[in-house]
Amino acid sequence: MATGNSKAKWKQSVEAEAATQLQKTQVTLQYEGKATEQTVLATPPAECALLWPEDNPGLNRLYYGDNLAILAALQYDPAIRGKVKLIYIDPPFATNSVFQSRSQTDAYQDLLIGANYIEFIRRRLILLRELLADDGSIYIHLDENMAFHIKVVMDEVFGTRNFRNWITRRKCSHKNYTKKRYGNISDYILFYTKSDTYVWNRSVETWTVERARKEYTCVEAGTGRRYKKVPVHAPGVRNGETGQLWRGMAPPPGKHWQYPPKTLDAMDARGEIYWSPTGNPRRKIYLDASAGVPVQDIWYDFRDDRNQNVLITGYPTEKNPEMLERIIQASSNPGDIVLDCFSGSGTTLAVAESMGRRWIGIDNSPEAITTTLRRFFQGTERMGDYVNRPKEIGTNTGAQTTMLALLDADATEASPPTARYQPFSIYADARETAQMRTLIQPWILSDAE
Ligand SMILES: C[S@@+](CC[C@H](N)C(=O)[O-])C[C@H]1O[C@@H](n2cnc3c(N)ncnc32)[C@H](O)[C@@H]1O
């Protein structure tokens, strides 16, 4: 591991070779049609019409329309600008394809490629940055096509120092590939924050007996507590207390004690130091003191097509809700606003809702909006039961399909609806209101009929 001392030595030699100015120059992506940030921030905002409920907007919002103009409008909303704690987006991946739902309905197109795609994403990222709280986080889900380009753009927009992780997700089971290359089973999530101070609830996985035994190999005589041994020293030379002799022993060359000698004495008195037969001290780390296995940046457990029992909406490329649960748990707290402006079937929104977060979803696909309403009011279906045709609106249990009408007719602040979900408001870019009204009409009418 590098130490302050040796890094300084190497830095001198680097500076001798490189022009300091160049070292400090931001690496940027250049392409034709790249707008200035100023131009992007001046994007004409959509006029957003509240379609439902007409007089009592809820905390959560579902928007229909192009997210560029809607994000531009949200910049001027004091309840939202600088208040969004978490953004997760799963935009098109520049696949040059059109995606259909399981019911064979066109869901969305993914036809922008190259610089057009990069600029499409960049403009939205600039506007999203304005909405993000100072202690907020943004996750963008991509595949190998454009992840590298968008990483550079994210560095430009959010700053390299705010890059946190490049997460690799196993997206599906292994394939019997016939192409002359390795099977492609991963996609990527880039995690950035707005600043150095951000919401972070460390994710841990529970220990399995097998994994715990493998890692915590020792059992303490007397207590039976399982533990592992780790060094009591750390890299780097220190001149203070941690660089002094402890029990007559100096820290190994180039190292310092992890704690001052007084603390080490106290730890030893509590039996937390293991002494090897040759007199080498090691620190004991107990399994029962571990909250779990800290989550790393490769995620194996969140495949989208897990098994036939998994509950789905049938929307193409819908993401694994448990993956969203991990992200929302780690980077937000109950009551925080979570935003997804490529919300598709509403996975982020439904998970945010179930975890007590407020949410904003935006999508410009009628099929996405219909699917989101269906997800909220009729639920999801087992993948194995999916019959190529979603349930008709109104054919499910009355209680669920009539919820929009119930909320619309009866809910007041004093007497909130007894619904499974908090009320949410439906908005549309004013240019799209006619179509959005058509999309929500069946849900509102189903109760009245
Ligand atoms: C990959 S899908 C998102 C799937 C989603 N994560 C889920 O779990 O269902 C991308 C979504 O972005 C939407 N989209 C693409 N361009 C958009 C735009 N300019 N404005 C709003 N939504 C857009 C598409 O309609 C599509 O639903």
Side-chain angles (χ1 to χ4, degrees):
M1 192 169 186
T3 68
N5 291 345
S6 60
K7 198 169 168 189
K9 187 180 86 189
W10 285 101
K11 220 170 159 202
Q12 273 173 14
S13 70
V14 169
E15 275 166 9
E17 294 259 342
T20 313
Q21 254 340 89
L22 261 188
Q23 288 268 91
K24 287 184 182 155
T25 304
Q26 156 114 50
V27 174
T28 57
L29 212 52
Q30 292 309 322
Y31 49 87
E32 230 174 89
K34 185 173 182 179
T36 63
E37 282 216 357
Q38 216 179 2
T39 306
V40 177
L41 293 170
T43 301
E47 213 180 287
C48 294
L50 171 63
L51 301 189
W52 182 89
E54 276 160 18
D55 48 359
N56 184 18
L59 291 175
N60 307 318
R61 309 181 187 187
L62 178 62
Y63 286 88
Y64 173 54
D66 183 351
N67 51 18
L68 186 72
I70 293 173
L71 293 172
L74 290 175
Q75 280 192 98
Y76 302 102
D77 184 338
I80 306 300
R81 187 188 174 94
K83 303 268 175 15
V84 174
K85 206 63 85 159
L86 168 63
I87 295 167
Y88 166 85
I89 53 171
D90 168 30
F93 287 1
T95 57
N96 205 14
S97 333
V98 173
F99 287 89
Q100 289 191 319
S101 67
R102 281 180 184 242
S103 59
Q104 307 297 301
T105 314
D106 276 358
Y108 69 96
Q109 47 81 10
D110 180 10
L111 300 175
L112 283 181
I113 53 170
N116 285 334
Y117 175 85
I118 295 169
E119 184 63 1
F120 168 87
I121 298 290
R122 176 178 162 269
R123 290 183 187 207
R124 281 144 183 93
L125 291 175
I126 291 170
L127 294 173
L128 285 169
R129 186 189 60 206
E130 301 305 301
L131 305 186
L132 201 56
D134 288 342
D135 58 350
S137 305
I138 175 165
Y139 293 69
I140 176 164
H141 204 139
L142 296 160
D143 72 2
E144 66 281 4
N145 273 333
M146 299 311 285
F148 289 97
H149 306 72
I150 299 301
K151 166 78 172 64
V152 179
V153 171
M154 290 292 280
D155 284 345
E156 279 178 40
V157 175
F158 290 93
T160 39
R161 60 176 291 166
N162 291 320
F163 167 66
R164 303 290 161 219
N165 284 111
W166 176 296
I167 298 160
T168 300
R169 176 188 76 131
R170 179 185 175 192
K171 64 180 175 185
C172 57
S173 310
H174 73 271
K175 301 168 183 170
N176 283 325
Y177 240 40
T178 48
K179 292 180 186 161
K180 285 167 96 171
R181 55 178 171 156
Y182 303 108
N184 164 234
I185 58 164
S186 52
D187 57 19
Y188 310 99
I189 305 166
L190 308 182
F191 166 32
Y192 281 71
T193 57
K194 180 117 170 224
S195 70
D196 286 345
T197 314
Y198 52 95
V199 173
W200 181 244
N201 305 312
R202 184 173 299 287
S203 298
V204 290
E205 284 165 350
T206 7
W207 289 102
T208 58
V209 173
E210 193 190 3
R211 191 165 177 185
R213 290 209 161 146
K214 226 171 172 181
E215 189 153 332
Y216 290 79
T217 49
C218 313
V219 178
E220 194 171 65
T223 65
R225 293 174 79 192
R226 197 163 269 283
Y227 69 94
K228 63 180 173 183
K229 295 175 269 185
V230 299
V232 283
H233 48 72
V237 174
R238 301 285 185 274
N239 297 322
E241 281 187 277
T242 55
Q244 306 305 309
L245 294 182
W246 175 51
R247 304 267 172 100
M249 257 179 307
K255 308 267 168 83
H256 65 282
W257 300 118
Q258 279 174 359
Y259 304 95
K262 236 193 276 165
T263 312
L264 289 172
D265 279 340
M267 289 167 72
D268 194 26
R270 291 194 299 269
E272 291 167 12
I273 301 287
Y274 165 87
W275 293 92
S276 78
T278 53
N280 221 350
R282 311 265 280 159
R283 194 152 65 88
K284 291 183 190 172
I285 304 284
Y286 294 97
L287 173 61
D288 57 22
S290 159
V293 192
V295 166
Q296 311 293 310
D297 63 2
I298 303 185
W299 294 358
Y300 293 104
D301 301 327
F302 300 130
R303 281 172 296 149
D304 293 328
D305 61 346
R306 289 147 283 166
N307 59 59
Q308 294 295 297
N309 282 325
V310 79
L311 293 168
I312 58 163
T313 64
Y315 196 75
T317 70
E318 70 182 283
K319 294 297 176 288
N320 181 321
E322 285 148 25
M323 178 190 74
L324 263 308
E325 220 175 285
R326 169 169 292 168
I327 292 172
I328 292 172
Q329 187 274 337
S331 294
S332 71
N333 289 310
D336 285 344
I337 304 176
V338 175
L339 184 149
D340 181 348
C341 63
F342 293 93
S343 57
S345 66
T347 314
T348 311
L349 320 182
V351 176
E353 172 72 41
S354 71
M355 295 176 75
R357 275 60 168 174
R358 290 179 287 156
W359 52 263
I360 299 171
I362 310 174
D363 207 289
N364 66 350
S365 149
E367 180 65 5
I369 298 294
T370 300
T371 306
T372 302
L373 295 176
R374 189 177 283 120
R375 180 200 278 274
F376 272 96
F377 299 120
Q378 282 184 321
T380 42
E381 284 189 74
R382 282 191 333 140
M383 188 149 82
D385 290 347
Y386 215 94
V387 284
N388 254 356
R389 193 167 58 87
K391 286 181 196 138
E392 295 290 329
I393 295 167
T395 58
N396 204 352
T397 67
Q400 284 179 23
T401 54
T402 60
M403 204 171 288
L404 273 180
L406 269 181
L407 298 180
D408 198 17
D410 302 336
T412 63
E413 216 173 317
S415 152
T418 52
R420 195 153 54 95
Y421 292 105
Q422 292 271 342
F424 59 85
S425 308
I426 298 177
Y427 294 82
D429 182 322
R431 291 163 287 196
E432 313 281 359
T433 50
Q435 186 166 17
M436 186 62 163
R437 278 192 205 286
T438 317
L439 292 176
I440 64 173
Q441 192 74 345
W443 300 91
I444 293 173
L445 286 184
S446 61
D447 188 50
E449 283 164 349

